[in-house]
Amino acid sequence: MPRQRWSILGVGRAGRARAHAIQADSNSALTATWRGRFGAHFGVSVQTMEQAIARSDIVAISSPSHVHADQVEQVLRAGRHVVVEYPLAANAAQAADLFELARARNRVLHVSHIELLGAVHQTLVANTRPGFVKSLSVHFTCSGPVKATAADMALANVA
């Protein structure tokens, strides 16, 4: 089976975790990164988003949330599959339109939570028996930006 070629748009903390996961998968190859403070660390950075899209079969979008919908649309219109970090879009109607575009183009559109690739989640999965956890409580130790609303904090911290 040929290896799937991946590009990542936005290689900050989430994009870096995604890049490491791609590199750990023997069926995948990281072929391009575009933007983000860790992009150059992987030796495949490109100058434009279009170049990143063109070099891949699948594009992972880990850019800031407010550009997700526009980038997903560009990737789908270019005929590539998409894995995008939550949230997909600003509202349900916009998200529905993007899923419809993916169906029309016969492409996969998957909304992901990067936290599932992290050490905390992996440790929980490895050490928790199915049905063992009956409830879970999460407490935030950081209040976030001064102007952050409760919705901002929930969006930033809940997977």
Side-chain angles (χ1 to χ4, degrees):
M1 169 192 270
R3 291 169 30 138
Q4 295 296 303
R5 300 172 307 140
W6 286 79
S7 292
I8 301 176
L9 310 181
V11 191
R13 190 180 75 197
R16 179 177 59 179
R18 180 74 59 198
H20 286 300
I22 290 166
Q23 288 180 324
D25 179 3
S26 62
N27 294 317
S28 299
L30 182 61
T31 57
T33 61
W34 179 72
R35 291 202 165 163
R37 67 183 183 262
F38 301 112
H41 295 181
F42 297 95
V44 291
S45 61
V46 295
Q47 297 299 311
T48 68
M49 185 171 69
E50 292 76 15
Q51 288 173 326
I53 294 168
R55 291 185 183 185
S56 63
D57 305 306
I58 308 165
V59 177
I61 298 174
S62 298
S63 300
S65 296
H66 70 278
V67 298
H68 286 180
D70 289 338
Q71 290 181 347
V72 166
E73 183 175 356
Q74 289 180 56
V75 171
L76 290 171
R77 291 196 183 283
R80 304 304 191 262
H81 301 289
V82 185
V83 174
V84 60
E85 294 303 320
Y86 175 84
L88 168 58
N91 57 61
Q94 189 178 34
D97 289 346
L98 291 170
F99 278 111
E100 182 54 38
L101 177 60
R103 276 189 290 279
R105 299 280 175 140
N106 197 30
R107 299 291 96 187
V108 171
L109 169 54
H110 175 73
V111 182
S112 179
H113 293 277
I114 196 67
E115 294 87 355
L116 300 180
L117 297 175
V120 171
H121 181 264
Q122 296 301 316
T123 300
L124 285 171
V125 168
N127 294 289
T128 305
R129 294 188 314 267
F132 180 73
V133 176
K134 301 291 184 206
S135 68
L136 179 66
S137 176
V138 177
H139 302 276
F140 299 111
T141 58
C142 177
S143 63
V146 174
K147 295 180 181 180
T149 66
D152 293 333
M153 291 301 292
L155 180 64
N157 291 290
V158 175

